[in-house]
């Protein structure tokens, strides 16, 4: 049982952590998932769209998908790296040749991750193409980043 004092203290601590997580996600967007470096997986299809092409509903769905995908990305990277003896090449979901450096188990884990990302986006009503269009627009538009960040709160 928690006291009101502890609940206030928890909320004071959890809000900055959540905001930091959200800012990290938005600051490192890449493809279908946030991309920490060029060595990390993404599901990026070359597509472009203007920022004004996205409804608030699209951006809400996008923000919700990002918050689901990030933990999956972290877990998948760790699993793929472990399965591949610590080696994690530059992996891109829609480019099978990037998986050439992976052993069988690591390939299987990465494909599972890519499918999971696609399912998460679809569960939020976004095709992979639409998700990636939004990602590209958010990368280059600070106002759109702010809007998505707001939907993540």
């Amino acid at each position: 049982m928690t006291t009101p004092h502890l609940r206030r203290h928890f909320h004071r601590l959890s809000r900055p952590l959540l905001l930091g997580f959200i800012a990290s996600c938005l600051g490192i967007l890449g493809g279908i998932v946030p991309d920490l470096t060029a060595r990390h997986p993404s599901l990026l299809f070359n597509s472009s769209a203007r920022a004004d092409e996205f409804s608030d509903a699209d951006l809400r769905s996008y923000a919700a998908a990002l918050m689901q995908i990030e933990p999956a990305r972290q877990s998948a990277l760790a699993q793929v790296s472990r399965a591949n003896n610590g080696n994690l090449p530059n992996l891109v979901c829609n480019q099978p040749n990037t998986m050439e450096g992976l052993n069988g188990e690591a390939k299987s884990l990465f494909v599972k991750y890519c499918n999971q990302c696609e399912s998460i986006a679809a569960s939020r009503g976004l095709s992979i193409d639409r998700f990636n269009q939004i990602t590209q627009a958010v990368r280059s538009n600070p106002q759109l980043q702010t809007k998505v960040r707001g939907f993540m709160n």
Side-chain angles (χ1 to χ4, degrees), residues 9 17 30 34 39 45 60 84 114 122 125 133:
H9 185 65
L17 290 174
R39 294 177 18 131
F45 296 87
R60 278 188 188 93
N84 206 49
C114 294
Q133 287 172 343

Side-chain angles (χ1 to χ4, degrees), residues 134-150:
I134 296 170
T135 297
Q136 292 293 9
V138 167
R139 276 183 175 165
S140 62
N141 185 325
Q143 291 172 330
L144 208 50
Q145 288 174 12
T146 300
K147 197 168 198 178
V148 169
R149 212 176 279 127

Side-chain angles (χ1 to χ4, degrees), residues 32 118 121-122 124-133:
I32 180 87
E118 187 171 356
R124 297 299 180 170
L126 297 171
S127 69
I128 289 300
D129 288 337
R130 187 66 169 169
F131 187 96
N132 288 315
Q133 287 172 343

Side-chain angles (χ1 to χ4, degrees), residues 85-101:
N85 300 317
N87 183 23
L88 192 62
N90 181 22
L91 301 170
V92 181
C93 287
N94 68 331
Q95 296 177 7
N97 62 327
T98 65
M99 292 189 291
E100 290 174 359

